[in-house]
Amino acid sequence: MHQAVLVTGASSGIGEATAVYLAHKGFRIFAAARRIEKLNELSGLGGGRITTLAMDVTDEASIEKALAEIAAEGITLYGLVNNAGVSVMGPFEQISADEWRRQFETNVIGLANVTRAVMRQMREAGRGRIINIGSVTGRVVSPFQAPYAASKHAVEGLSDALRRELAPHGVKVSVIRPGFINTPFGHQEQDALAKFTGADNPYAEQVRIFKEWHATGHPNAPAPTIVAEAVHRALTVDRPHSRYTVPANMLGVLALRNLMPSAIVDRIFERVTGLSKYRPQGK
Ligand SMILES: NC(=O)c1ccc[n+]([C@@H]2O[C@H](COP(=O)([O-])OP(=O)(O)OC[C@H]3O[C@@H](n4cnc5c(N)ncnc54)[C@H](OP(=O)(O)O)[C@@H]3O)[C@@H](O)[C@H]2O)c1
């Protein structure tokens, strides 16, 4: 029997690539997201081993309904890939409480909702893998990224607790930390930043410079399969790492952040993003 894995946020980008990659590797995949019409494009792929499920990770009833469909097939999940995510970006001063809540509802509370709903069956089976898609932004943070970065720092923290709680029960927990990956996520972030570039916005020039740098990140980044490969490693090796960083050159960025004083990292950020050119008017 094929090992079964639930992948959240599988209607696009990393989740979609992971669902297809794992199915080709022989896993039975349950691919979940809100946009069922987008998910349906997956049916027929992956050797017929992909089943699509409507699921909003912020809605516990929808999670229960999706899990009931899996249970109805008599299947115990071996793996969970918590991938569903959104990015709220912009100047801290101008991000509303509702936007902060939207960020955390999906990336943190949603992840916790799905995990809580699945972990009991893994604990009782005495085996399983939980793979949380974090981000390099869970360690190294650009300006205008506060809610997203905070959510990914939360994923780092909750994953440490989860890993240590579940280790005695045979359930292993890993975080994958992607850097820029070429998915539609980048368009979503560009659209979010564009809202803050109006002429009357005091942050307009800063955001415009940052946005210009950010626009080059996703299109020139690796395809999402690179993340799918890391997920596959975390699912299949005997002793998965607690963290996988992809692409590998991002390890250099993490080392820089860990070894250098913040003041120097700040200067590097300003240089790299072009924000070192920014001078507030009259100052
Ligand atoms: N792309 C990058 O550069 C990058 C880098 C680091 C980390 N990541 C992380 O990788 C993950 C996937 O990102 P991506 O690049 O593949 O972005 P994407 O192409 O925009 O895909 C995001 C996925 O999340 C799903 N989703 C969003 N809200 C949801 C909700 N409430 N319930 C269920 N599903 C939801 C979306 O599906 P529906 O809209 O159909 O629900 C979609 O399938 C995210 O956690 C992101 O933070 C991405």
Side-chain angles (χ1 to χ4, degrees), residues 43-63:
S43 39
L45 299 179
R49 283 186 290 275
I50 301 179
T51 302
T52 60
L53 296 170
M55 182 194 288
D56 179 343
V57 299
T58 68
D59 175 356
E60 288 179 85
S62 111
I63 296 168

Side-chain angles (χ1 to χ4, degrees), residues 48-257:
R49 283 186 290 275
I50 301 179
T51 302
T52 60
L53 296 170
M55 182 194 288
D56 179 343
V57 299
T58 68
D59 175 356
E60 288 179 85
S62 111
I63 296 168
E64 287 307 330
K65 187 163 176 288
L67 291 182
E69 288 181 44
I70 301 173
E73 292 194 38
I75 285 173
T76 301
L77 287 169
Y78 174 72
L80 166 63
V81 183
N82 278 313
N83 165 76
V86 294
S87 173
V88 172
M89 292 182 86
F92 200 116
E93 193 180 325
Q94 298 173 10
I95 295 170
S96 67
D98 279 348
E99 283 291 273
W100 274 95
R101 282 190 201 100
R102 183 170 74 85
Q103 181 68 85
F104 272 74
E105 281 291 337
T106 307
N107 291 19
V108 183
I109 298 167
L111 180 152
N113 287 341
V114 182
T115 304
R116 211 170 46 248
V118 162
M119 62 196 282
R120 178 176 174 177
Q121 56 181 282
M122 291 183 179
R123 180 178 54 71
E124 288 178 350
R127 64 201 272 275
R129 302 278 163 109
I130 298 175
I131 295 155
N132 294 332
I133 306 297
S135 173
V136 167
T137 310
R139 296 292 285 167
V140 185
V141 183
S142 307
F144 308 118
Q145 245 188 339
Y148 181 67
S151 77
K152 292 300 185 181
H153 275 69
V155 169
E156 291 277 339
L158 68 84
S159 298
D160 280 340
L162 195 61
R163 190 180 68 255
R164 290 168 185 154
E165 286 175 34
L166 288 180
H169 299 282
V171 181
K172 297 177 179 172
V173 178
S174 300
V175 177
I176 314 285
R177 292 166 161 169
F180 275 125
I181 302 293
N182 193 355
T183 73
F185 209 64
H187 304 304
Q188 191 199 119
E189 293 187 323
Q190 283 285 309
D191 291 348
L193 288 169
K195 291 181 197 139
F196 303 97
T197 55
D200 55 347
N201 193 316
Y203 289 95
E205 182 60 7
Q206 258 173 301
V207 174
R208 194 193 55 71
I209 295 169
F210 176 76
K211 182 172 175 294
E212 206 170 286
W213 168 77
H214 177 274
T216 61
H218 292 274
N220 297 315
T225 315
I226 196 171
V227 184
E229 288 165 355
V231 171
H232 182 251
R233 273 198 298 285
L235 275 174
T236 52
V237 298
D238 279 348
R239 293 178 183 201
H241 295 178
S242 59
R243 289 175 171 83
Y244 293 84
T245 302
V246 285
N249 63 1
M250 284 296 124
L251 287 167
V253 177
L254 292 181
L256 204 70
R257 184 263 191 210

